[in-house]
């Protein structure tokens, strides 16, 4: 039972980190549910996404795209997580069809 509790706390901590970044808005804009993301993606991948987003130099472009509502998986070449996010969106589409 302790492992379950520790795991839940770890995921909550990851969720807080994602929520504090543009990554949270990017996931939402791409139609990726944050809870599904946290439970289906590997922790190491999520941590890499967080690190890349934290270090990103394209924040102005990202903010503009998010504000305009023009974010699509095929037009996020400015995003450091482009490849991973495109993969997640493609996987989501396969599961929904």
């Amino acid at each position: 039972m302790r492992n379950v509790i520790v795991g839940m706390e770890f995921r909550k901590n990851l969720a807080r980190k994602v929520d504090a970044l543009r990554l949270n808005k990017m996931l939402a804009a791409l139609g990726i549910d944050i809870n599904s993301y946290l439970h289906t993606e590997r922790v190491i991948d999520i941590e890499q996404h967080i690190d890349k987003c934290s270090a990103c130099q394209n924040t102005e472009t990202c903010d503009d795209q998010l504000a305009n509502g023009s974010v699509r998986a095929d037009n996020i070449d400015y995003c450091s997580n482009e490849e991973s996010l495109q993969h997640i969106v493609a996987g989501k589409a396969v599961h929904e069809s």
Side-chain angles (χ1 to χ4, degrees):
M1 185 64 159
R2 177 160 163 55
N3 286 343
V4 171
I5 294 170
V6 169
M8 287 173 53
E9 286 302 315
F10 185 78
R11 294 280 180 185
K12 284 181 187 177
N13 188 38
L14 280 179
R16 281 190 288 273
K17 288 179 181 179
V18 169
D19 190 49
L21 298 169
R22 287 170 180 83
L23 180 57
N24 187 44
K25 292 178 185 175
M26 182 63 76
L27 292 169
L30 293 171
I32 301 168
D33 177 70
I34 186 69
N35 290 321
S36 295
Y37 169 77
L38 291 170
H39 291 292
T40 58
E41 296 303 308
R42 297 178 326 155
V43 170
I44 193 159
D45 292 337
I46 295 170
E47 289 175 334
Q48 286 176 347
H49 297 160
I50 290 168
D51 291 343
K52 286 181 179 180
C53 190
S54 295
C56 184
Q57 300 297 311
N58 298 321
T59 57
E60 192 171 311
T61 303
C62 186
D63 287 341
D64 288 344
Q65 295 292 314
L66 288 167
N68 292 335
S70 57
V71 173
R72 293 186 331 268
D74 64 348
N75 77 343
I76 56 171
D77 57 333
Y78 55 88
C79 182
S80 301
N81 288 308
E82 174 188 17
E83 186 177 334
S84 294
L85 294 176
Q86 288 173 340
H87 181 73
I88 294 167
V89 169
K92 180 179 170 279
V94 167
H95 292 315
E96 290 177 354
S97 56

